[in-house]
Amino acid sequence: MSDPKTVLIMPGKKMSVSRIVKRAVQVAVGTSLGAVTIGTVMVLNGLLSGRGTVMLWINHWLSFIQRPEIFVTMLLTAMTTVLFIYWQRDKERGR
């Protein structure tokens, strides 16, 4: 049984991809947005408290998000969110 195609919208493009690929891309984007949000909070916290430089806090952020347990937590959060949204959509459509 083939996986039905769906549309993945990227900046400036619409692509026809399988659902699995679309979900994987959405999980990757969600994980990246989570990492950027964490980084922004960490850098702003460092700047507002007056300790260190921007580069010091960026290095702290990189070492933080590269820890396996933090990365896996971000990944699982994004996957759970994407899967829940798709499950809820399918229930609303009556599938």
Side-chain angles (χ1 to χ4, degrees):
M1 179 164 115
S2 66
D3 197 22
K5 297 287 185 176
T6 186
V7 176
L8 175 65
I9 299 174
M10 298 300 279
K13 280 187 168 181
K14 287 185 180 181
M15 298 176 277
S16 179
V17 296
S18 69
R19 286 184 181 177
I20 298 294
V21 171
K22 182 176 181 178
R23 288 179 183 165
V25 169
Q26 289 173 329
V27 166
V29 169
T31 303
S32 300
L33 289 173
V36 168
T37 302
I38 291 169
T40 302
V41 169
M42 289 178 76
V43 168
L44 289 176
N45 181 45
L47 292 176
L48 293 175
S49 64
R51 297 176 300 202
T53 63
V54 173
M55 285 308 296
L56 175 69
W57 284 100
I58 290 174
N59 288 334
H60 282 294
W61 170 69
L62 284 173
S63 65
F64 179 74
I65 66 166
Q66 290 174 349
R67 290 173 42 194
E69 67 273 16
I70 299 302
F71 181 73
V72 169
T73 300
M74 289 188 308
L75 190 62
L76 287 174
T77 302
M79 286 173 54
T80 304
T81 303
V82 168
L83 292 174
F84 175 73
I85 289 170
Y86 274 96
W87 174 79
Q88 194 174 32
R89 257 191 219 157
D90 286 345
K91 293 296 178 188
E92 287 174 354
R93 291 181 185 159
R95 287 186 179 178

